[in-house]
Amino acid sequence: MQRTLSKFKLLAYRQCPKRLWLEVHRPEACEDSGAIQATRVAGHQVGDVARQIYDPLRRGQLIDPQAEGLDAALARTKALLQSAQPIFEAGFRAEGALAFADVMLPTGRGSRVGWHMVEVKSATCVKDCHRDDAAIQAFLARASGVPLRSVALAHIDSNWTYPGNSDYQGLLVEEDLTEEAFARAGKVRGWITEAQAIVARKQPPRIATGEQCSAPYECGFIAHCQSQESQAQHPVHWLPRRSQALKAHIAKHYIRELSELSNDLLNSTQQRVKAATLADRAYFDQHAASQALAAHKLPGYFIDFETIQFAVPIWKGTRPYQQIPFQFSVHRLGRTGLATHHAFLDLSGNNPSRAFAQALIAACGERGPVFVYNAAFETTRIRELAERHPRLAPALQAINARVVDLLPVARQHYYHPSQQGSWSIKAVLPALCPDLRYEQLDGVQDGTAAQQAYLEAIAPATGVARKALLKRQLRAYCHLDTWAMVRLWAAFTGNTVKAWAKQDA
């Protein structure tokens, strides 16, 4: 018996036929990451706001197939299409496939009465997968007999600024996809036929893991698929910053092992990674690392930020996906090797920007190097704070002028095989300072988890005890980030350090 495939499954097929097969036959093998879950939440938030934007008078009808049941939802869609009011999540089933349209708006008069379809995305631009999405939606609506006049994709305008008072007019911008969506009807019909054939198979298609596992979306089945493959001892994907030419060479010659790649194809950093990995021995030019930092005299400040970004802004004067710092950790390292700690964390639910900036200025003093790990992130956030708070700008710009980046020092002078091609602090720290490990932290162990903890902590429904626990976890995580930098600095320079006291704001 032929299955009815949802639009989600057809898009899964477009990404990878094996993913489609697994979605149908092995859904329990899917492991959605925190990033995937966050993207899904953002999509729901944007969808909710879209209903306010497209139906300001609240005359529209929302169809809920989960509450109503599929057949009832399709029947109600059919009935509502005879009216002239906005419809949200209208359902269409035809030719073995099923989809629900985000927005259907009545348009035209007399013999030209029809519908304008809008697909709403939380992205900030139109992507190829969105064009596939619109083509599928348009095909199924028209195959169901809907007089569809036009199709558009609405995405977020990242330059729009939220004026406050729940006024989200302007958050979304539309791009007309009518012509191309209608023109691809034959292709969509072909996708459905091909997808049905994949689903009917007793075994999944043999497709090796590769670039398709992360584009256009991160696939939750990647761990499952990798577990079914024989793994390379030293896989080529451990090479950092592979050029398109190198990727093409690897694919053309089916290269899986680092040992199979000629050094002539690699830059100096890649050669260092290959040599250290094959020799199973760390590379560390401690003298060069120390020389790189010699000019930056103590006292020094080691800083790290945690930020939150909303697809739908909640604070007046902020933009979609603008990264807003809500927490920092600062370790001050004195000339004697004693480290003191200052911290800031705002869980009030209000915009933390001004208080954050004021506390950061106080914690960083007026002179001495300000060490970071990946300077582009912190310096950009500080520059944005200066733009939003002109009176604090001179002091914030002065901090930026003192920034010293530890990442290039690590990248140029240290590499351990356990890093597997990454110089993130979470990869370098356990190699260089094995007594410090993020997995030993309770609850919050990475940036995505920190964002999720923040959102939970500021939610009105979160109880006092839970909020206090989240606060402790967030503080511990951010504290480790800057203490880790202190320890890396000590390893690079050959100095000894010790923590003394915490002074939390």
Side-chain angles (χ1 to χ4, degrees):
M1 181 179 176
Q2 188 184 62
R3 294 173 180 265
T4 299
L5 298 178
S6 67
K7 179 185 70 173
F8 172 82
K9 289 185 172 59
L10 292 177
L11 292 173
Y13 165 73
R14 291 285 291 149
Q15 179 168 355
C16 173
K18 187 176 182 180
R19 176 180 177 181
L20 167 65
W21 193 94
L22 291 169
E23 291 282 1
V24 173
H25 298 285
R26 298 285 188 276
E28 71 282 357
C30 184
E31 299 177 11
D32 286 344
S33 67
I36 293 176
Q37 295 172 17
T39 299
R40 192 174 293 132
V41 170
H44 291 318
Q45 292 171 340
V46 175
D48 290 342
V49 170
R51 290 195 283 276
Q52 300 177 32
I53 294 173
Y54 286 105
D55 186 24
L57 299 179
R58 305 297 175 92
R59 294 176 178 174
Q61 294 290 319
L62 172 64
I63 295 172
D64 186 347
Q66 291 188 334
E68 302 174 36
L70 178 58
D71 289 338
L74 294 175
R76 193 154 80 91
T77 296
K78 188 174 181 180
L80 288 171
L81 287 169
Q82 306 306 312
S83 67
Q85 57 189 317
I87 309 172
F88 302 99
E89 301 301 328
F92 310 108
R93 178 168 57 188
E95 300 195 27
L98 169 73
F100 288 86
D102 292 329
V103 182
M104 294 289 287
L105 302 174
T107 182
R109 294 185 178 184
S111 61
R112 289 294 298 170
V113 169
W115 292 89
H116 173 60
M117 175 187 285
V118 183
E119 279 302 294
V120 180
K121 302 300 177 187
S122 59
T124 57
C125 63
V126 178
K127 303 176 182 179
D128 287 344
C129 57
H130 298 154
R131 298 179 186 278
D132 290 353
D133 186 315
I136 293 169
Q137 291 280 30
F139 172 80
L140 293 177
R142 298 175 83 196
S144 300
V146 177
L148 190 64
R149 306 303 185 201
S150 54
V151 182
L153 188 131
H155 63 82
I156 286 177
D157 179 1
S158 59
N159 294 317
W160 176 80
T161 300
Y162 176 48
N165 296 321
S166 299
D167 179 5
Y168 290 103
Q169 293 295 327
L171 172 67
L172 299 175
V173 291
E174 285 190 19
E175 182 165 334
D176 182 73
L177 299 179
T178 307
E179 184 176 352
E180 67 174 275
F182 286 4
R184 299 177 77 189
K187 288 189 176 182
V188 174
R189 184 176 281 112
W191 299 342
I192 296 172
T193 301
E194 294 159 7
Q196 291 286 3
I198 291 294
V199 169
R201 296 175 57 154
K202 293 184 178 180
Q203 296 295 327
R206 293 191 176 186
I207 300 175
T209 54
E211 299 292 330
Q212 78 280 1
C213 299
S214 56
Y217 301 108
E218 178 185 342
C219 179
F221 292 100
I222 186 169
H224 169 80
C225 292
Q226 288 177 337
S227 71
Q228 307 298 309
E229 299 175 341
S230 59
Q231 298 299 307
Q233 183 179 6
H234 306 120
V236 291
H237 68 250
W238 287 357
L239 284 177
R241 299 183 177 183
R242 300 184 301 283
S243 66
Q244 289 302 318
L246 181 57
K247 289 179 181 179
H249 177 85
I250 290 170
K252 179 180 178 180
H253 297 281
Y254 303 101
I255 295 173
R256 300 176 66 244
E257 292 282 356
L258 281 177
S259 59
E260 299 172 5
L261 272 176
S262 168
N263 281 351
D264 294 340
L265 299 169
L266 309 179
N267 60 37
S268 59
T269 301
Q270 292 167 339
Q271 290 180 27
R272 190 182 310 136
V273 168
K274 176 186 172 183
T277 301
L278 296 182
D280 194 25
R281 184 172 62 249
Y283 166 84
F284 188 17
D285 188 342
Q286 198 266 335
H287 176 73
S290 179
Q291 286 297 109
L293 295 170
H296 307 295
K297 304 299 184 182
L298 299 179
Y301 300 81
F302 298 76
I303 69 172
D304 179 75
F305 301 166
E306 298 304 324
T307 63
I308 192 67
Q309 51 184 332
F310 299 96
V312 179
I314 66 172
W315 296 313
K316 180 180 178 179
T318 60
R319 301 186 307 275
Y321 294 115
Q322 182 175 6
Q323 295 200 60
I324 301 173
F326 64 85
Q327 177 181 17
F328 70 67
S329 172
V330 175
H331 269 93
R332 180 189 184 277
L333 185 62
R335 294 185 179 89
T336 62
L338 284 176
T340 55
H341 182 246
H342 297 258
F344 173 89
L345 176 60
D346 185 345
L347 298 180
S348 67
N350 300 319
N351 189 336
S353 294
R354 178 176 291 278
F356 179 101
Q358 292 170 331
L360 181 68
I361 292 167
C364 287
E366 296 182 353
R367 58 183 57 87
V370 176
F371 295 101
V372 299
Y373 200 87
N374 188 14
F377 179 76
E378 272 79 14
T379 56
T380 301
R381 302 291 82 76
I382 291 172
R383 186 174 64 251
E384 291 169 346
L385 287 169
E387 292 170 354
R388 293 201 296 275
H389 306 291
R391 292 185 179 180
L392 302 177
L396 290 167
Q397 292 164 351
I399 292 175
N400 259 0
R402 295 156 54 196
V403 164
V404 179
D405 196 351
L406 292 174
L407 176 57
V409 180
R411 185 178 285 126
Q412 294 167 18
H413 305 301
Y414 184 81
Y415 183 76
H416 190 280
S418 66
Q419 293 173 221
Q420 298 183 359
S422 170
W423 274 274
S424 76
I425 198 166
K426 293 174 178 59
V428 176
L429 183 65
L432 200 52
C433 307
D435 58 307
L436 298 179
R437 292 184 175 273
Y438 282 88
E439 60 264 30
Q440 294 174 346
L441 293 172
D442 177 33
V444 178
Q445 300 179 354
D446 57 42
T448 299
Q451 292 183 342
Q452 293 172 339
Y454 174 78
L455 292 175
E456 183 181 355
I458 68 172
T462 302
V464 174
R466 177 61 178 168
K467 186 170 184 175
L469 174 61
L470 293 168
K471 182 177 182 178
R472 290 194 297 272
Q473 292 176 345
L474 284 165
R475 285 191 180 278
Y477 170 67
C478 202
H479 176 275
L480 180 56
D481 270 341
T482 52
W483 181 240
M485 282 190 277
V486 173
R487 291 287 304 277
L488 293 183
W489 176 91
F492 292 155
T493 61
N495 289 302
T496 301
V497 298
K498 67 176 182 177
W500 179 52
K502 294 172 64 176
Q503 300 176 16
D504 295 340

